[in-house]
């Protein structure tokens, strides 16, 4: 790099946000340089124009691992749920963690623009149940390769095995009493091996979930060291452990079209409809993951947490009782436990029979009105006591991170360090399942890349 005239942008992190940020920064810089060259040529004599040199902007991506996009490869069970097909105006509600902060970024680079981007780079997409958008290939690898190809086409220089441990500032000893006026400027980043000078730095280092992919929370310590507030990281979209041991009897059973509600200290706080899964430790699946953020925060606060499963949400209480009575009449002398075969999956029958308190050997026609009503109530509110989560190691995304109050939502720029940008899961933003978190990462990366290139031009 020619230090007298050229500029450098460094992107730290080779995930969804980092790859998008790097490619967009290089693309934006090239467009600006081309425009500057045209203006120079128009303003100068031909001989003088030939001697003019348009300043170049170099974009470097530093990744601490041995390959890029490792977490992308795991997303959507290896299929990569890149976004959601809903109206972008409704997206904000899908981010319980600071959704309003994303308003500008989502408008700049929305879900339709993202799908066109991948179409252009050889990855056509499809919409599946619930509005989830996947690559037609059903391969997360195709998404990663498209992003890497885009970055390289724009001239991004990629270095792996570069573990950044600090952002370097022009005035590292200054305080940040006035967050509106930048107190210092970023001058580069440091690894254990070397110092990388830069005019702008985009930190897209990920959160603290799935640490095996490289998301080990490094960005939080770096942010704190330069004066950024960091909201304590917690797992979001994470399976839940239960006090009751009976879920292991139904281990592997996936329920569709059920309703699950989250209860905190006896008060219903959240409810969702969809799919869930029983495991050897408790419960998982899309519905549970969506409720897990609230459960984790309540557990941390010392509250009593329960989930209640409505196995028959399409029926009113009275309609369900009428259905049960028809079953009792149909089954007649059949024992109660065996009379539930038309109502429940096989692995749940002994569980519900036991929880109901009805004698399993009792004949169906002998079941009382009170017992039938009690069973109906149970079927629409099967209780489980939540004792914990599987932690950050199993969380799909991280709740917490760099405080959004210190960032410009239009550009992802730090409000008190000029030339520094944050994007992706390292920022305190998290959404529900369905492609929303990757859309947020791509949108933030786009905003940061475009802004950084514009600022150094």
């Amino acid at each position: 790099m020619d230090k007298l005239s050229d500029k450098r942008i460094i992107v730290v992190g080779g995930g969804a946000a980092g790859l998008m940020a790097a490619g967009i920064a290089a693309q934006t810089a090239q467009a600006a340089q081309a425009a500057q060259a045209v203006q120079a040529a128009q303003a100068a004599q031909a001989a003088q124009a030939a001697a003019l040199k348009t300043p170049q902007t170099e974009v470097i991506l530093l990744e601490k691992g041995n390959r890029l996009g490792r977490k992308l490869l795991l997303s959507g069970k290896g299929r990569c749920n890149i976004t959601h097909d809903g109206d972008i105006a409704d997206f904000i509600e899908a981010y319980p963690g600071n959704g309003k902060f994303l308003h500008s970024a989502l408008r700049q680079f929305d879900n339709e623009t993202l799908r066109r981007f991948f179409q252009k780079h050889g990855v056509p997409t499809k919409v599946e149940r619930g509005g989830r958008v996947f690559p037609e290939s059903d391969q997360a690898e195709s998404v990663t390769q498209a992003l890497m190809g885009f970055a390289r086409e724009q001239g991004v220089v990629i270095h792996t095995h570069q573990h950044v441990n600090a952002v370097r500032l022009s005035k590292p000893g200054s305080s940040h009493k006035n967050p509106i006026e930048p107190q210092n400027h970023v001058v580069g980043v440091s690894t254990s091996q070397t110092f990388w000078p830069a005019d702008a730095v985009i930190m897209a280092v990920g959160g603290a979930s799935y640490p095996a992919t490289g998301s080990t929370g490094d960005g939080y310590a770096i942010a704190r060291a330069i004066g950024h507030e960091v909201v304590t990281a917690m797992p979001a979209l994470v399976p839940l452990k239960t006090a009751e041991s009976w879920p292991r009897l139904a281990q592997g059973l996936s329920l569709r079209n059920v309703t699950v509600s989250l209860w905190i200290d006896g008060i219903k706080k959240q409810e969702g409809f969809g799919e869930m899964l029983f495991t050897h430790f408790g419960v998982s699946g899309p519905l549970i993951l969506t409720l897990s953020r609230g459960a984790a925060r309540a557990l941390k606060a010392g509250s009593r947490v329960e989930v209640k499963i409505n196995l028959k949400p399409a029926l009113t209480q009275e309609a369900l009782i009428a259905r049960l009575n028809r079953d009792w009449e149909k089954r007649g002398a059949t024992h109660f436990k065996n009379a539930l075969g038309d109502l429940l999956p096989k692995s749940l029958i002994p569980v519900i029979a036991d929880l109901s308190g009805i004698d399993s050997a009792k004949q169906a026609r002998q079941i009382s009105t009170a017992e039938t009503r009690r069973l109906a109530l149970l079927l629409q509110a099967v209780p489980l006591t939540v004792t914990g989560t599987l932690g950050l190691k199993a969380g799909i995304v991280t709740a917490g991170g760099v405080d959004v109050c210190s960032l410009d939502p239009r550009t992802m720029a730090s409000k008190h360090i000029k030339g520094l940008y944050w994007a992706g899961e390292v920022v305190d933003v998290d959404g529900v399942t369905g492609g929303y978190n990757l859309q947020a990462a791509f949108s933030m990366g786009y905003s940061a890349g475009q802004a950084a290139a514009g600022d150094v031009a």
Side-chain angles (χ1 to χ4, degrees):
M1 182 175 72
D2 182 347
K3 295 182 180 179
L4 294 176
S5 58
D6 290 353
K7 301 289 185 178
R8 175 185 281 173
I9 298 171
I10 287 181
V11 179
V12 183
L19 281 166
M20 182 62 76
I24 292 298
Q27 185 182 69
T28 304
Q30 288 173 16
Q33 289 155 12
Q36 290 171 5
V38 170
Q39 291 174 356
Q42 292 174 342
Q45 297 295 329
Q48 293 174 322
L52 289 175
K53 178 182 181 295
T54 303
Q56 300 296 301
T57 297
E58 179 184 38
V59 179
I60 294 176
L61 189 151
L62 303 179
E63 162 59 39
K64 75 174 181 179
N66 61 353
R67 66 169 302 173
L68 307 181
R70 284 179 292 171
K71 194 169 181 180
L72 270 171
L73 294 174
L74 297 178
S75 65
K77 298 180 180 179
R79 296 174 59 225
C80 199
N81 181 190
I82 61 172
T83 188
H84 194 273
D85 189 46
D87 189 328
I88 201 69
D90 299 328
F91 267 49
I92 301 303
E93 296 179 4
Y95 300 95
N98 294 311
K100 291 182 179 179
F101 173 79
L102 289 175
H103 188 274
S104 180
L106 290 172
R107 289 292 181 182
Q108 288 183 64
F109 194 71
D110 64 16
N111 50 351
E112 290 302 319
T113 307
L114 179 64
R115 294 183 67 184
R116 288 195 296 272
F117 168 88
F118 280 113
Q119 176 76 38
K120 179 180 178 181
H121 291 90
V123 184
T125 57
K126 60 183 177 180
V127 181
E128 296 190 358
R129 180 173 53 88
R132 288 168 164 80
V133 177
F134 291 89
E136 286 185 359
S137 66
D138 283 328
Q139 297 294 320
E141 180 69 34
S142 64
V143 174
T144 303
Q145 290 299 323
L147 289 165
M148 291 169 58
F150 168 62
R152 289 191 171 109
E153 285 170 10
Q154 305 308 316
V156 176
V157 179
I158 298 172
H159 295 274
T160 56
H161 301 287
Q162 295 293 323
H163 189 173
V164 171
N165 52 36
V167 171
R168 299 302 179 188
L169 309 178
S170 57
K171 295 191 291 182
S174 66
S175 62
H176 310 301
K177 295 179 180 179
N178 185 351
I180 304 303
E181 293 297 329
Q183 298 297 309
N184 46 35
H185 195 295
V186 69
V187 295
V189 298
S190 293
T191 69
S192 56
Q193 296 90 11
T194 189
F195 168 71
W196 293 82
D199 300 280
V201 171
I202 301 173
M203 293 294 291
V205 292
S209 59
Y210 281 177
T213 65
S215 296
T216 53
D218 300 348
Y220 307 146
I222 294 173
R224 289 190 181 101
I226 55 176
H228 270 288
E229 293 292 328
V230 176
V231 178
T232 301
M234 294 179 62
L237 303 184
V238 64
L240 299 177
K241 296 188 288 187
T242 62
E244 294 81 2
S245 60
W246 65 255
R248 72 182 58 162
L249 300 176
Q251 180 179 347
L253 173 64
S254 178
L255 299 178
R256 291 186 176 183
N257 302 321
V258 296
T259 298
V260 181
S261 53
L262 175 67
W263 295 70
I264 298 173
D265 292 330
I267 300 172
K268 185 165 75 171
K269 294 292 188 179
Q270 197 176 346
E271 186 174 76
F273 175 82
E275 184 177 347
M276 65 161 290
L277 173 72
F278 291 106
T279 71
H280 67 283
F281 54 79
V283 285
S284 187
L287 259 181
I288 299 300
L289 298 182
T290 296
L291 298 174
S292 65
R293 186 183 196 274
R297 291 185 178 277
L299 288 168
K300 185 178 180 182
S303 297
R304 177 169 53 89
V305 181
E306 291 180 293
V307 291
K308 294 183 180 181
I309 307 166
N310 184 344
L311 299 170
K312 301 294 175 182
L315 300 177
T316 65
Q317 186 73 193
E318 293 307 314
L320 180 55
I321 290 172
R323 158 72 191 275
L324 291 171
N325 284 327
R326 288 195 298 271
D327 283 356
W328 305 158
E329 184 177 349
K330 174 183 174 182
R331 297 288 183 169
T334 305
H335 289 167
F336 164 61
K337 187 174 180 179
N338 296 324
L340 297 173
D342 293 339
L343 191 71
L344 296 169
K346 185 177 179 180
S347 59
L348 271 187
I349 290 175
V351 172
I352 296 301
D354 182 60
L355 292 174
S356 73
I358 301 172
D359 185 351
S360 293
K362 198 171 192 177
Q363 293 182 1
R365 62 190 174 198
Q366 295 175 328
I367 297 172
S368 69
T369 299
E371 288 173 327
T372 300
R373 183 168 292 277
R374 188 167 72 239
L375 175 61
L377 288 170
L378 172 65
L379 290 170
Q380 294 191 314
V382 182
L384 283 167
T385 306
V386 179
T387 58
T389 75
L390 288 195
L392 285 165
K393 67 180 184 297
I396 296 176
V397 297
T398 308
V402 175
D403 193 341
V404 297
C405 293
S406 65
L407 306 180
D408 184 335
R410 299 165 300 174
T411 63
M412 304 297 126
S414 167
K415 290 180 179 178
H416 60 246
I417 299 173
K418 188 170 177 57
L420 178 62
Y421 306 80
W422 298 85
E425 198 178 342
V426 69
V427 179
D428 183 20
V429 171
D430 61 280
V432 301
T433 59
Y436 295 103
N437 287 290
L438 274 181
Q439 177 68 58
F442 290 130
S443 294
M444 283 192 277
Y446 179 91
S447 295
Q450 195 171 60
D455 285 349
V456 303

